[in-house]
Amino acid sequence: MKLYEQPAHVLHDMLVNKEITALQLTEAVLARIDEVEGDVKAYLTITHDEAIAQAKAVDEKIAKGEDISFLEGIPGAIKDNICTKGVKTTCASQILKNFVPPYNATVMEKLNAENPVILGKVNLDEFAMGGSTENSSFGVTHNPWNLDCVPGGSSGGSAAAVAAGTAIWALGSDTGGSIRQPASFCGVVGMKPTYGRVSRYGLVAYASSLDQIGPLTKDVTDCAHILNIIAGRDEMDSTSVDAAVPDYTKALVKDVKGLKIGLPKEYFVKGMDPEVEGAVKAAVKELEAQGAEVVEISLPHTDYAISTYYLIAPAEAATNLARYDGVSYGERAEDAVDLVDMMTKTRSQYFGEEVKRRIMIGNYALSAGYYDAYYLKALKVRRLVKEDYDKAFEKVDVIICPTAPSVAYKIGEHISNPLEMYLQDACTVPLNLAGLPGISLPCGYSSSKMPIGMQIIGKALDEETLLRVAYTYEQSQSYHEDRAQLGGK
Ligand code: GLN
C-alpha cells in the first residue's frame, strides 16, 4: 500500500519506528493531491506551506528523541465550516468567501495541541445544507469510487479526501447525517458523536440543537483515536456535556458476545435499495455469528422524522443565518440606498438557492400564527422520536440499519427536486433529533461497485459500544483495506 492509503495508526507506528519521516508522508499526500485533486475537487483551500512547516517541526522533535502523540505529523483535512484561525472558512458560501476567522474552533485547539499536519479546508454543501455537495457555491466534489457520482454530503469533501488518499483523516459535521452519509457513499468510517460530546464552539452554526462535529477516517481504530482528542466538556459551549471522556481505544476489542442488536423494522421498508438492505442484513448475520443476539424492534415514529427535521433544522437555520446581514461578517452588496436595501441585496445576492429555501421554510414555521402548527408540533414529535429510542434501548445495546437508502447516485440525479433530496436522509436524521451517537462503516458493494454503509446507533454517551461493535465487524471483513481506484469518467 502507498503511504497515502494507510490509516493514521499504521503511519504513526512507521513514524515512531523511523521508517518514514513526517515530511516524506506529507509530501506523499501532497503529491497525491497534485495527482487526483483535479478530478475529485475535495479542497477549497490547501495550506501547502504550513503543512510542510508542520511536518518539518515534527521531524525535528523525533530527531531529538521526543515522544510523539497519535496524530503528530499525520496529514488531515478540515471541513470548511470549522473555524481555523488565519485560514479562510467559507462554509462553501459566497457570503463568507473571504471570511478569515480570528479564532480557532475548540476542536482545532485540541487537534493543534497534538501537532497534526493540516492540509487545508474541504468542500461541503453551503452552510452544511444538503447531502451531495452539489449545493456548494464553489462546485461539486466527485466520488473517488466513480467520478460521475456525488460523494454525499454535506461533509462530501471530508469523505472524498479520505477515500481518495488526499487526506489520511478528516473532520466533518453532522446535523442530519452529514458525516455518516458521505462516509457511507465514499466507503470510509464516519462517526457522529452524542450531542454535546464534542464542543461546537467555532463550528459555524446550521441547526444548533442538532449539529455535532466528528471524525471521518479510513478505519474504526483511527475513529476512536480522533474521538479521544476532540471529545470533552468545553467552557465555551454550554451544551457540551460535563462527563468524563473514556479512552475510546479501549473499546477496540473484537467481542460482541451477549450483546443485543436491535433491527428496526421501519428502516427496512419502501424505497430502500435491495442491495443495500442485503449487505446490511448480511453484516448483522456476521455479528450474530460472532456471538451477538439479534432482536427485531420497532421505532414507530420513524416516518415522521424527516418532516420533523425539515421544520426544526430550517427554523434554527433561519435564526442562525440572520447574522449574515452585510454588517458584521462576510460580503456586503455595494449598490444599496439604505440599510434595509443593503441587507436585502446582500442576502439575495450571496446566499445560494437551498439556503434561501431553508431560511424561508424556517421563518414560515416560526412565524406568529404558524408557530404552534409547525415548529411547536415538530418539537413534540421530536420527543416522540426520542422516546422510541429510549424504549428500544431498554431491550438492546445498539441498533443497526443502513446509513442511506441507496449507494452514491449520479451528480445531478436528484438535485433539482428538493423533496427527493430530503427523503434520502430517512435513516440518518432520527438520531440527530434524539441526540444519539451513530457510526457508519463499509459493509459491501452494490453491483455498480459503489460502497454500502451500515449504521450503528448507540445510547447517549455510549460511543464505546458503537466502536466495539464496529471494530468487531470490521475485523471480520477486509472492506476497510479496500481503496477507491479513481476512475469512471
Ligand atoms: N442532508 C441533511 C440536510 O440537508 C443533513 C445535513 C447535515 O447533516 N449537515 O439538512
Side-chain angles (χ1 to χ4, degrees):
M1 265 200 193
K2 308 257 177 30
L3 283 183
Y4 60 75
E5 292 180 326
Q6 300 284 0
H9 59 93
V10 170
L11 296 166
H12 171 74
D13 291 346
M14 293 173 88
L15 283 171
V16 170
N17 298 330
K18 300 200 169 55
E19 290 163 46
I20 52 165
T21 64
L23 186 60
Q24 277 168 350
L25 169 59
T26 301
E27 282 176 341
V29 180
L30 287 169
R32 178 67 171 167
I33 292 178
D34 284 345
E35 189 187 359
V36 301
E37 176 58 16
D39 289 331
V40 177
K41 300 188 166 69
Y43 281 86
L44 296 178
T45 302
I46 297 176
T47 47
H48 180 281
D49 296 352
E50 291 86 340
I52 297 280
Q54 285 161 345
K56 284 183 177 162
V58 172
D59 286 334
E60 274 167 32
K61 223 175 134 178
I62 296 174
K64 280 193 218 146
E66 288 177 35
D67 286 343
I68 55 166
S69 70
F70 175 77
L71 219 49
E72 200 138 6
I74 316 270
I78 308 296
K79 187 175 181 180
D80 209 20
N81 61 349
I82 296 174
C83 283
T84 42
K85 186 175 178 179
V87 176
K88 256 198 299 196
T89 299
T90 67
C91 295
S93 180
Q94 291 299 320
I95 209 158
L96 289 179
K97 64 182 173 188
N98 295 310
F99 176 61
V100 179
Y103 70 100
N104 270 324
T106 296
V107 289
M108 291 313 298
E109 291 290 334
K110 289 189 172 217
L111 280 175
N112 289 341
E114 306 280 314
N115 288 326
V117 169
I118 304 293
L119 297 161
K121 306 296 293 288
V122 280
N123 201 16
L124 64 154
D125 290 288
E126 185 176 359
F127 285 104
M129 297 177 192
S132 64
T133 77
E134 291 167 292
N135 294 333
S136 166
S137 74
F138 302 120
V140 64
T141 296
H142 297 251
N143 190 312
W145 293 85
N146 179 342
L147 295 170
D148 292 333
C149 291
V150 299
S154 65
S155 312
S158 306
V162 174
T166 55
I168 305 300
W169 57 272
L171 286 190
S173 69
D174 190 312
T175 306
S178 276
I179 290 174
R180 292 158 286 150
Q181 183 257 26
S184 162
F185 279 14
C186 290
V188 300
V189 173
M191 180 194 267
K192 179 198 95 74
T194 308
Y195 183 77
R197 181 78 287 189
V198 176
S199 169
R200 291 181 296 108
Y201 179 70
L203 168 68
V204 178
Y206 159 18
S208 309
S209 77
L210 302 159
D211 298 339
Q212 190 64 189
I213 295 173
L216 290 104
T217 55
K218 295 186 202 274
D219 63 18
V220 176
T221 302
D222 280 5
C223 177
H225 278 282
I226 295 182
L227 188 61
N228 270 355
I229 299 170
I230 61 174
R233 163 81 185 158
D234 177 16
E235 294 264 291
M236 302 301 281
D237 172 6
S238 62
T239 64
S240 65
V241 178
D242 197 3
V245 179
D247 177 356
Y248 290 110
T249 61
K250 295 230 167 76
L252 299 172
V253 285
K254 194 177 172 201
D255 178 17
V256 288
K257 275 181 218 78
L259 219 93
K260 288 208 174 100
I261 296 175
L263 271 193
K265 59 175 191 226
E266 291 82 1
Y267 282 71
F268 293 93
V269 284
K270 53 182 189 293
M272 180 67 63
D273 176 343
E275 289 186 331
V276 171
E277 181 170 338
V280 173
K281 288 205 163 147
V284 171
K285 275 248 163 338
E286 174 59 40
L287 285 165
E288 207 172 6
Q290 303 274 335
E293 191 187 323
V294 179
V295 191
E296 186 175 277
I297 56 160
S298 172
L299 299 167
H301 295 93
T302 300
D303 260 2
Y304 304 105
I306 290 192
S307 336
T308 306
Y309 173 86
Y310 277 100
L311 283 167
I312 293 175
E316 295 185 20
T319 312
N320 277 324
L321 271 61
R323 74 191 67 175
Y324 306 105
D325 55 6
V327 178
S328 315
Y329 308 93
E331 300 304 304
R332 175 185 299 175
E334 271 170 7
D335 50 350
V337 293
D338 58 24
L339 185 66
V340 171
D341 189 43
M342 186 280 284
M343 289 179 177
T344 310
K345 285 195 170 127
T346 297
R347 291 168 67 82
S348 309
Q349 214 168 304
Y350 293 104
F351 279 143
E353 287 297 299
E354 185 61 28
V355 173
K356 286 182 194 161
R357 180 177 297 119
R358 297 201 188 190
I359 291 174
M360 285 192 282
I361 295 172
N363 281 325
Y364 185 85
L366 288 172
S367 57
Y370 293 111
Y371 182 95
D372 288 358
Y374 293 107
Y375 182 67
L376 193 61
K377 183 88 151 275
L379 291 183
K380 290 176 182 170
V381 180
R382 178 179 192 170
R383 209 197 58 222
L384 295 175
V385 170
K386 182 181 174 295
E387 284 174 358
D388 281 356
Y389 284 110
D390 291 346
K391 277 200 201 105
F393 280 124
E394 285 170 11
K395 286 195 286 186
V396 298
D397 300 294
V398 293
I399 295 170
I400 293 186
C401 62
T403 306
S406 72
V407 294
Y409 43 83
K410 290 275 159 64
I411 292 170
E413 198 174 323
H414 297 298
I415 195 67
S416 55
N417 185 339
L419 199 58
E420 230 171 87
M421 288 297 295
Y422 301 167
L423 291 173
Q424 308 285 327
D425 300 333
C427 307
T428 45
V429 296
L431 275 72
N432 298 75
L433 291 171
L436 301 175
I439 189 170
S440 177
L441 74 160
C443 69
Y445 298 95
S446 65
S447 48
S448 57
K449 301 275 176 306
M450 295 306 281
I452 296 172
M454 118 165 116
Q455 176 171 238
I456 310 172
I457 307 167
K459 297 175 188 166
L461 294 179
D462 190 16
E463 283 81 3
E464 288 158 290
T465 307
L466 285 194
L467 289 163
R468 176 147 73 99
V469 178
Y471 184 77
T472 302
Y473 176 73
E474 183 185 79
Q475 294 304 307
S476 71
Q477 307 291 323
S478 60
Y479 298 123
H480 62 296
E481 287 163 8
D482 297 347
R483 296 292 176 258
Q485 300 304 315
L486 287 173
K489 268 211 166 139

